[in-house]
């Protein structure tokens, strides 16, 4: 099965699912505003479908790890996500908003299936010696999705209406179903008996993340970086208004981040394993800090350069994070570690955006400077975790190391 399943099919499914996911948030926000007439309700829908992923991610990962055919479970999660989006759209303006918001919260719970749950299956798609390049290509699908999703949401909403934008995002997720369904089974295509419960697996996954220094450092740094990225997101509308002539122009800044992240990952894909992943994660946080600090200048050309710099740091950091997870996670906990990591990052992003909101109203440069400081802290936070026994695992991977990584774990 693994030999017949191509990397191209995997990547096509990942792009479709992740583009639909990236499109769904802005599309729901626009639909909520258009149909409910309230900016508060619109932003509440976005928050609801985002934050619940923090709860659903670890549980979904544990179930994926216990499934003999994880692709089938992944496809089921995509169906639930798509049906939930449709239910939210139908409920807007027809059901009490509290009911619609509850549906949005439930819809967001299988959301990590589109990120960490999908990436966790990569080692069964490609052989170990091809994993580093495949990992970089997989990380690039996030860049493509973050560029295409919001742009599609805005474009479709402007031409065909906000509800249609939600339908298109739903359709993209449905398009990914065949690629998910056909993902390779575990060896022997048989579900292995597990002596522990799902709760026990959840606890074991947390112990692995906290107990393997390389994985703990990568997780801590990436989550802290996501807090800073959430802070930047909170600054985007005001940056667009003050520097580029309109709050809507802030979307240009997000596109710049996505384009430079995609370009940086394209370069990294040509030189897989050339630099140790742990070093990339730390350096990328500092690069993002430099970009955020530069943005405090608030001049149009400088601001564009600043967000391009942020993207140069953001893209490789994601690729390196996946590489660490692939190498460090035990095979029987791989899905959970990937989805738990995705949940932690989503939570960090939401926390950063929430905390930075009041700061932005007080001082936009101050908010950007605070985000830059958080990125610096992200880079140095890893040194709080002793490296002792894990030092060898952070070395530059060899071909043999990549093969071992394909057996022992992924994000």
């Amino acid at each position: 099965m693994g030999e017949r399943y191509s990397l191209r099919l995997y990547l096509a499914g990942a792009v479709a699912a992740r583009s639909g996911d990236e499109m769904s948030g802005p599309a729901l926000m626009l639909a909520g505003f258009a149909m409910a007439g309230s900016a508060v309700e619109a932003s509440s829908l976005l928050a609801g479908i985002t934050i619940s992923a923090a709860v659903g991610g670890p549980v979904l990962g544990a179930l994926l790890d216990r499934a003999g055919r994880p692709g089938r479970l992944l496809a089921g999660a995509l169906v639930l996500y798509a049906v939930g989006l449709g239910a939210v759209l139908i409920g807007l303006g027809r059901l009490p908003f509290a009911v619609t918001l509850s549906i949005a919260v439930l819809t967001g719970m299988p959301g990590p299936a589109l990120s960490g749950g999908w990436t966790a299956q990569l080692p069964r798609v490609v052989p170990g010696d091809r994993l580093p390049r495949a990992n970089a290509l997989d990380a690039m699908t996030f860049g493509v999705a973050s560029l295409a999703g919001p742009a599609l949401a805005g474009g479709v909403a402007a031409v065909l209406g906000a509800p249609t934008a939600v339908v298109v995002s739903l359709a993209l997720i449905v398009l990914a179903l065949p690629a998910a369904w056909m993902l390779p089974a575990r060896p022997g295509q048989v579900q292995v008996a597990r002596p522990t419960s799902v709760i026990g697996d959840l606890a074991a996954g947390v112990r692995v993340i906290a107990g393997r220094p390389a994985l703990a450092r990568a997780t801590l740094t990436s989550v802290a970086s996501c807090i800073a990225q959430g802070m930047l997101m909170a600054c985007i509308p005001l940056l667009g208004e003050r520097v580029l002539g309109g709050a809507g122009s802030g979307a240009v800044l997000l596109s710049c981040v996505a384009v430079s992240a995609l370009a940086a990952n394209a370069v990294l894909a040509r030189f897989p394993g050339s630099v140790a992943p742990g070093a990339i994660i730390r350096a990328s946080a500092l690069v993002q800090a430099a970009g955020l600090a530069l943005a405090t200048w608030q001049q149009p050309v400088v601001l564009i350069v600043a967000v391009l710099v942020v993207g140069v740091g953001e893209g490789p950091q994601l690729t390196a994070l996946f590489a660490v997870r692939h190498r460090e996670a035990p095979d029987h906990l791989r899905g959970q570690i990937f989805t738990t990591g995705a949940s932690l990052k989503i939570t960090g992003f939401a926390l950063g955006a929430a905390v930075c909101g009041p700061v932005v109203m007080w001082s936009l440069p101050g908010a950007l400077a605070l985000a830059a400081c958080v990125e610096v802290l992200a880079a140095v936070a890893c040194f709080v975790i002793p490296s002792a026994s894990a030092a060898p695992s952070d070395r530059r991977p060899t071909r043999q190391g990549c093969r071992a990584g394909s057996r022992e774990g992924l994000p």
Side-chain angles (χ1 to χ4, degrees), residues 81-92 95 100 103-104 107 166 170:
Y81 195 82
V83 169
L85 287 175
V88 171
L89 182 59
I90 292 170
L92 280 171
L95 298 175
T100 306
I103 296 172
T107 299
V166 178
L170 185 158

Side-chain angles (χ1 to χ4, degrees), residues 10-301:
Y10 171 94
L11 294 173
V15 168
R18 289 162 181 169
S19 295
D21 184 34
E22 290 285 346
M23 186 180 180
S24 65
L28 270 185
M29 227 170 102
L30 292 170
F33 185 74
M35 300 174 74
S38 167
V40 173
E41 291 186 0
S43 60
S44 297
L45 284 175
L46 178 60
I49 203 170
T50 301
I51 200 67
S52 59
V55 177
V59 176
L60 175 63
L63 294 175
L64 283 170
D65 289 331
R66 300 171 77 88
R69 298 297 300 263
R72 306 286 171 86
L73 180 58
L74 197 58
L78 296 181
V79 169
L80 289 176
Y81 195 82
V83 169
L85 287 175
V88 171
L89 182 59
I90 292 170
L92 280 171
R94 297 181 180 87
L95 298 175
F97 181 72
V99 175
T100 306
L101 180 59
S102 299
I103 296 172
V105 171
L106 291 174
T107 299
M109 295 189 75
L114 286 69
S115 52
W118 197 290
T119 299
Q121 312 311 313
L122 188 57
R124 281 187 285 276
V125 174
V126 296
D129 57 349
R130 291 171 51 201
L131 185 57
R133 180 174 179 273
N135 177 55
L137 292 173
D138 181 47
M140 287 174 65
T141 66
F142 285 92
V144 172
S146 63
L147 180 61
L152 275 173
V156 174
V159 176
L160 301 174
T164 306
V166 178
V167 174
V168 172
S169 70
L170 185 158
L172 284 170
I173 292 169
V174 170
L175 280 176
L177 285 175
W181 184 267
M182 292 188 293
L183 278 164
R186 297 188 186 282
Q189 300 187 8
V190 196
Q191 182 173 353
V192 179
R194 301 291 289 272
T196 59
S197 64
V198 172
I199 300 276
D201 284 351
L202 289 171
V206 172
R207 285 196 298 271
V208 168
I209 292 174
R212 298 196 175 186
L215 185 55
R217 290 195 298 269
T219 301
L220 179 60
T221 299
S222 65
V223 170
S225 282
C226 270
I227 293 174
Q229 291 160 16
M231 291 178 167
L232 174 61
M233 181 63 74
C235 297
I236 287 294
L238 203 52
L239 279 171
E241 183 179 85
R242 290 187 182 179
V243 183
L244 302 179
S249 300
V252 174
L253 301 178
L254 295 177
S255 297
C256 289
V257 173
V259 165
S260 61
L262 192 58
N265 272 339
V267 173
L268 198 61
R270 296 181 64 86
F271 306 99
S274 57
V275 182
I280 292 176
I281 291 172
R282 293 188 295 272
S284 294
L286 293 176
V287 170
Q288 291 177 75
L292 290 166
L294 190 60
T296 61
W297 199 340
Q298 295 188 67
Q299 296 297 320
V301 175

